Amino acid sequence: MATFGERLKDLRKTHNLRQKDLAKELGLAQTTIANYEQGTRFPNQDILNKFADYFKVSLDYLLGRVDIHDFRKDLEEIKVYKGKKEEYLKEIELKYFNILLSGKRDEAYNLVNGAIRNGIDIKDIYKYVFEVSLKRVGELWEKNKLSISDEHYFSQSTETIMSQLCSNIYLIPKKDKLAVTLSVNSEFHTLGIRMITDFLELDGWNTIFLGNNIPTKSVVDLIKTKKPDLLAISVTMNFNFNLAKDLINTIRSYEETKNLKIIVGGRAFNFQKNAWKEVGADGYAKDGFEAIRVANNLIN
């Protein structure tokens, strides 16, 4: 990875600026710029922000933590949606990705909320904006082009934005259907199952989202008490297949819960065609739209 001094020098030259030109633009001395580029001095937070804003790059790029520099692209207003949904959603996703990685979570929220007000279904925001951008972030992290802190920030911020959009979800009239949703024990990833939960809510289901690391006995006791119509289980890591299988087998071992309909999903199942059958589930869903279809088919 490049150093701050190397990045600063590269950005300055890319913009055809001399040291004294950049110094004048930012109200600094030329010797200060020279010292930064040589690595003999390092700027404080305010000056770092000035550099990032001036060159329209993220702090992570400026500090040499990532190699993608266009996180702060021109964030002009997106045209009001006029029917070309596919193109519009691609534009929204790219801007959401850039805005959020630049650390502007409020702007990212306003972007997707504005799209919803312009007529985009919130389910399309989940699938074509949140899901696509999260996949993009994951791929960049796997290629060492993003740090783990960047990946966590993006995921946690997206989950926060989803929570802010909940007011749109809970206004939907509810059916007489209840789903319990969770990730298996030892899983740290819950964003996918949270999305599935929201999709079910958007379809009119009542839901109980348990998150992760819930003891099997507690899950069984809740099922006995609440008597849900459906249980949705997420597994991200392949080595957690057995945890899903054990949970399902335990549920099937009780008379009161043995007939509960169970669907599974998550990255671990996406690459193994019949894995959902091997763990004893009644169905598999690769995304929110399919979760709604499979869930309703199983219950109806």
PDB file of all heavy atoms in Angstrom, residues 141-153:
ATOM      1  N   TRP A 141     -12.954  -6.584  -0.259  1.00  0.00           N
ATOM      2  CA  TRP A 141     -12.250  -6.996   0.954  1.00  0.00           C
ATOM      3  C   TRP A 141     -11.445  -8.273   0.702  1.00  0.00           C
ATOM      4  O   TRP A 141     -10.299  -8.394   1.130  1.00  0.00           O
ATOM      5  CB  TRP A 141     -13.243  -7.218   2.086  1.00  0.00           C
ATOM      6  CG  TRP A 141     -12.607  -7.823   3.307  1.00  0.00           C
ATOM      7  CD1 TRP A 141     -11.731  -7.212   4.172  1.00  0.00           C
ATOM      8  CD2 TRP A 141     -12.751  -9.171   3.765  1.00  0.00           C
ATOM      9  NE1 TRP A 141     -11.340  -8.099   5.151  1.00  0.00           N
ATOM     10  CE2 TRP A 141     -11.940  -9.306   4.927  1.00  0.00           C
ATOM     11  CE3 TRP A 141     -13.487 -10.261   3.329  1.00  0.00           C
ATOM     12  CZ2 TRP A 141     -11.856 -10.499   5.629  1.00  0.00           C
ATOM     13  CZ3 TRP A 141     -13.407 -11.449   4.041  1.00  0.00           C
ATOM     14  CH2 TRP A 141     -12.595 -11.556   5.173  1.00  0.00           C
ATOM     15  N   GLU A 142     -12.038  -9.233  -0.014  1.00  0.00           N
ATOM     16  CA  GLU A 142     -11.344 -10.485  -0.304  1.00  0.00           C
ATOM     17  C   GLU A 142     -10.099 -10.250  -1.159  1.00  0.00           C
ATOM     18  O   GLU A 142      -9.138 -11.014  -1.097  1.00  0.00           O
ATOM     19  CB  GLU A 142     -12.290 -11.454  -1.012  1.00  0.00           C
ATOM     20  CG  GLU A 142     -13.373 -12.013  -0.090  1.00  0.00           C
ATOM     21  CD  GLU A 142     -14.370 -12.889  -0.834  1.00  0.00           C
ATOM     22  OE1 GLU A 142     -14.300 -12.952  -2.087  1.00  0.00           O
ATOM     23  OE2 GLU A 142     -15.232 -13.504  -0.167  1.00  0.00           O
ATOM     24  N   LYS A 143     -10.101  -9.180  -1.951  1.00  0.00           N
ATOM     25  CA  LYS A 143      -8.950  -8.848  -2.803  1.00  0.00           C
ATOM     26  C   LYS A 143      -7.984  -7.885  -2.100  1.00  0.00           C
ATOM     27  O   LYS A 143      -7.063  -7.365  -2.722  1.00  0.00           O
ATOM     28  CB  LYS A 143      -9.435  -8.217  -4.113  1.00  0.00           C
ATOM     29  CG  LYS A 143     -10.249  -9.163  -4.984  1.00  0.00           C
ATOM     30  CD  LYS A 143     -10.785  -8.442  -6.207  1.00  0.00           C
ATOM     31  CE  LYS A 143     -11.626  -9.375  -7.070  1.00  0.00           C
ATOM     32  NZ  LYS A 143     -12.207  -8.675  -8.244  1.00  0.00           N
ATOM     33  N   ASN A 144      -8.226  -7.655  -0.797  1.00  0.00           N
ATOM     34  CA  ASN A 144      -7.380  -6.759   0.005  1.00  0.00           C
ATOM     35  C   ASN A 144      -7.403  -5.320  -0.499  1.00  0.00           C
ATOM     36  O   ASN A 144      -6.446  -4.568  -0.301  1.00  0.00           O
ATOM     37  CB  ASN A 144      -5.931  -7.263   0.054  1.00  0.00           C
ATOM     38  CG  ASN A 144      -5.808  -8.553   0.838  1.00  0.00           C
ATOM     39  OD1 ASN A 144      -6.431  -8.722   1.891  1.00  0.00           O
ATOM     40  ND2 ASN A 144      -5.013  -9.475   0.327  1.00  0.00           N
ATOM     41  N   LYS A 145      -8.489  -4.931  -1.132  1.00  0.00           N
ATOM     42  CA  LYS A 145      -8.634  -3.554  -1.580  1.00  0.00           C
ATOM     43  C   LYS A 145      -9.456  -2.724  -0.595  1.00  0.00           C
ATOM     44  O   LYS A 145      -9.586  -1.502  -0.771  1.00  0.00           O
ATOM     45  CB  LYS A 145      -9.260  -3.513  -2.975  1.00  0.00           C
ATOM     46  CG  LYS A 145      -8.341  -4.074  -4.054  1.00  0.00           C
ATOM     47  CD  LYS A 145      -8.920  -3.902  -5.439  1.00  0.00           C
ATOM     48  CE  LYS A 145      -7.933  -4.379  -6.500  1.00  0.00           C
ATOM     49  NZ  LYS A 145      -8.468  -4.218  -7.870  1.00  0.00           N
ATOM     50  N   LEU A 146     -10.023  -3.387   0.390  1.00  0.00           N
ATOM     51  CA  LEU A 146     -10.699  -2.724   1.490  1.00  0.00           C
ATOM     52  C   LEU A 146     -10.255  -3.389   2.783  1.00  0.00           C
ATOM     53  O   LEU A 146     -10.019  -4.594   2.810  1.00  0.00           O
ATOM     54  CB  LEU A 146     -12.222  -2.820   1.366  1.00  0.00           C
ATOM     55  CG  LEU A 146     -12.935  -1.957   0.322  1.00  0.00           C
ATOM     56  CD1 LEU A 146     -14.427  -2.230   0.357  1.00  0.00           C
ATOM     57  CD2 LEU A 146     -12.670  -0.480   0.566  1.00  0.00           C
ATOM     58  N   SER A 147     -10.201  -2.623   3.848  1.00  0.00           N
ATOM     59  CA  SER A 147      -9.836  -3.188   5.140  1.00  0.00           C
ATOM     60  C   SER A 147     -11.059  -3.833   5.792  1.00  0.00           C
ATOM     61  O   SER A 147     -12.200  -3.577   5.396  1.00  0.00           O
ATOM     62  CB  SER A 147      -9.288  -2.095   6.059  1.00  0.00           C
ATOM     63  OG  SER A 147     -10.323  -1.196   6.412  1.00  0.00           O
ATOM     64  N   ILE A 148     -10.820  -4.643   6.806  1.00  0.00           N
ATOM     65  CA  ILE A 148     -11.921  -5.275   7.525  1.00  0.00           C
ATOM     66  C   ILE A 148     -12.773  -4.222   8.221  1.00  0.00           C
ATOM     67  O   ILE A 148     -13.992  -4.373   8.354  1.00  0.00           O
ATOM     68  CB  ILE A 148     -11.383  -6.309   8.548  1.00  0.00           C
ATOM     69  CG1 ILE A 148     -12.535  -7.105   9.156  1.00  0.00           C
ATOM     70  CG2 ILE A 148     -10.551  -5.634   9.626  1.00  0.00           C
ATOM     71  CD1 ILE A 148     -13.295  -7.962   8.192  1.00  0.00           C
ATOM     72  N   SER A 149     -12.149  -3.128   8.639  1.00  0.00           N
ATOM     73  CA  SER A 149     -12.922  -2.051   9.267  1.00  0.00           C
ATOM     74  C   SER A 149     -13.849  -1.381   8.259  1.00  0.00           C
ATOM     75  O   SER A 149     -14.981  -0.999   8.590  1.00  0.00           O
ATOM     76  CB  SER A 149     -11.987  -1.008   9.901  1.00  0.00           C
ATOM     77  OG  SER A 149     -11.138  -0.442   8.936  1.00  0.00           O
ATOM     78  N   ASP A 150     -13.390  -1.247   7.006  1.00  0.00           N
ATOM     79  CA  ASP A 150     -14.257  -0.704   5.954  1.00  0.00           C
ATOM     80  C   ASP A 150     -15.459  -1.614   5.726  1.00  0.00           C
ATOM     81  O   ASP A 150     -16.594  -1.145   5.599  1.00  0.00           O
ATOM     82  CB  ASP A 150     -13.482  -0.580   4.636  1.00  0.00           C
ATOM     83  CG  ASP A 150     -12.394   0.467   4.686  1.00  0.00           C
ATOM     84  OD1 ASP A 150     -12.634   1.533   5.266  1.00  0.00           O
ATOM     85  OD2 ASP A 150     -11.295   0.206   4.172  1.00  0.00           O
ATOM     86  N   GLU A 151     -15.189  -2.914   5.659  1.00  0.00           N
ATOM     87  CA  GLU A 151     -16.262  -3.884   5.424  1.00  0.00           C
ATOM     88  C   GLU A 151     -17.272  -3.851   6.558  1.00  0.00           C
ATOM     89  O   GLU A 151     -18.491  -3.850   6.332  1.00  0.00           O
ATOM     90  CB  GLU A 151     -15.643  -5.283   5.264  1.00  0.00           C
ATOM     91  CG  GLU A 151     -16.629  -6.349   4.776  1.00  0.00           C
ATOM     92  CD  GLU A 151     -17.365  -7.029   5.914  1.00  0.00           C
ATOM     93  OE1 GLU A 151     -16.864  -7.012   7.058  1.00  0.00           O
ATOM     94  OE2 GLU A 151     -18.461  -7.582   5.673  1.00  0.00           O
ATOM     95  N   HIS A 152     -16.787  -3.807   7.789  1.00  0.00           N
ATOM     96  CA  HIS A 152     -17.688  -3.772   8.945  1.00  0.00           C
ATOM     97  C   HIS A 152     -18.485  -2.475   8.973  1.00  0.00           C
ATOM     98  O   HIS A 152     -19.681  -2.483   9.271  1.00  0.00           O
ATOM     99  CB  HIS A 152     -16.884  -3.931  10.236  1.00  0.00           C
ATOM    100  CG  HIS A 152     -16.487  -5.348  10.505  1.00  0.00           C
ATOM    101  ND1 HIS A 152     -15.957  -5.763  11.700  1.00  0.00           N
ATOM    102  CD2 HIS A 152     -16.556  -6.460   9.738  1.00  0.00           C
ATOM    103  CE1 HIS A 152     -15.709  -7.059  11.661  1.00  0.00           C
ATOM    104  NE2 HIS A 152     -16.057  -7.494  10.464  1.00  0.00           N
ATOM    105  N   TYR A 153     -17.817  -1.372   8.694  1.00  0.00           N
ATOM    106  CA  TYR A 153     -18.512  -0.083   8.689  1.00  0.00           C
ATOM    107  C   TYR A 153     -19.639  -0.091   7.657  1.00  0.00           C
ATOM    108  O   TYR A 153     -20.766   0.354   7.939  1.00  0.00           O
ATOM    109  CB  TYR A 153     -17.552   1.056   8.377  1.00  0.00           C
ATOM    110  CG  TYR A 153     -18.260   2.361   8.099  1.00  0.00           C
ATOM    111  CD1 TYR A 153     -18.769   3.127   9.142  1.00  0.00           C
ATOM    112  CD2 TYR A 153     -18.452   2.809   6.788  1.00  0.00           C
ATOM    113  CE1 TYR A 153     -19.453   4.310   8.890  1.00  0.00           C
ATOM    114  CE2 TYR A 153     -19.136   3.992   6.537  1.00  0.00           C
ATOM    115  CZ  TYR A 153     -19.630   4.740   7.586  1.00  0.00           C
ATOM    116  OH  TYR A 153     -20.317   5.894   7.322  1.00  0.00           O
TER     117      TYR A 153
END
